[in-house]
Amino acid sequence: MDVVDFLLTRQSNPHLGAPAPSNDDLLNILKAGNRVPDHAALLPWHFHVFTGQGLNKLSEVFLSALPADTEQAKRDKTEKMPFRAPMIIAVSSKTTPHPKVPNVEQVISAGCAVHAMQMMATALGYGAMWRTGDFAFSDIVKQKLSIDTNEEIVGFLYIGTPSKTLPQKPEKSLAGKVTYFR
């Protein structure tokens, strides 16, 4: 498949199992994230890779962020969340005060890193799903992962081998989404 077809047909797949990316594939995934547009070369991101026992740690972190009175069914669901894939890469912003590069641009760059890593994982034959959710905005989760509370978790990228083939989603309409100035 050429790159144009790849980009026009790519879709997320939440049905992910073992194996996780090999060390070589992980390195290429991380390199793709490190290659995104980055005004002033600030590298405004940090990658947190969870596999094996690291998924247990992430499960504990998520559980610690729940209010004490959370019902058991929600606690059980939360505990299992990191095990939806054999690898998760959490991407946080690492903004730096800069006279020409506002924080929002740096956070967007970190988001681009998630996207590039998702594209690379997919290009390598893995499935990937970019998730955020309440835990991406939790100061408790940030603290437990050594992320400053003034920084952002821009996503949790779940990566693994697709365990289910999904039907191709229909193309989204551009109607009302484009304004031309000619």
Side-chain angles (χ1 to χ4, degrees):
M1 175 181 306
D2 71 20
V3 94
V4 172
D5 288 337
F6 172 75
L7 291 172
L8 293 178
T9 60
R10 185 229 55 92
Q11 63 188 34
S12 297
N13 188 340
H15 306 281
L16 305 170
S22 66
N23 288 336
D24 288 343
D25 286 346
L26 173 60
L27 183 58
N28 282 327
I29 291 166
L30 296 171
K31 284 180 177 181
N34 217 36
R35 185 85 182 170
V36 300
D38 175 18
H39 190 181
L42 298 174
L43 301 170
W45 50 73
H46 187 86
F47 308 140
H48 315 258
V49 180
F50 299 89
T51 59
Q53 292 300 315
L55 296 172
N56 291 322
K57 174 183 174 49
L58 188 57
S59 177
E60 292 168 9
V61 168
F62 285 174
L63 284 170
S64 73
L66 292 175
D69 62 349
T70 301
E71 55 190 62
Q72 191 59 44
K74 170 95 175 178
R75 296 185 76 71
D76 292 344
K77 181 179 178 183
T78 298
E79 185 176 22
K80 294 175 186 172
M81 288 172 67
F83 302 99
R84 295 173 178 165
M87 176 182 286
I88 297 174
I89 303 174
V91 179
S92 60
S93 65
K94 288 291 181 188
T95 58
T96 304
H98 192 281
K100 292 185 179 180
V101 188
N103 279 1
V104 67
E105 186 177 337
Q106 294 178 54
V107 173
I108 290 168
S109 253
C112 288
V114 180
H115 184 255
M117 289 191 294
Q118 184 179 29
M119 297 304 97
M120 178 60 84
T122 304
L124 292 171
Y126 299 100
M129 184 77 180
W130 181 351
R131 298 180 184 269
T132 52
D134 293 342
F135 296 117
F137 307 102
S138 166
D139 285 345
I140 293 170
V141 170
K142 290 177 188 178
Q143 289 169 352
K144 299 264 182 179
L145 297 180
S146 300
I147 298 168
D148 291 341
T149 56
N150 65 329
E151 303 292 352
E152 303 294 335
I153 296 174
V154 296
F156 295 98
L157 185 60
Y158 289 67
I159 306 172
T161 300
S163 59
K164 181 178 179 182
T165 301
L166 302 177
Q168 187 64 49
K169 290 181 180 179
E171 186 175 324
K172 296 175 184 174
S173 171
L174 288 171
K177 298 294 179 187
V178 181
T179 302
Y180 295 95
F181 297 89
R182 295 182 178 175

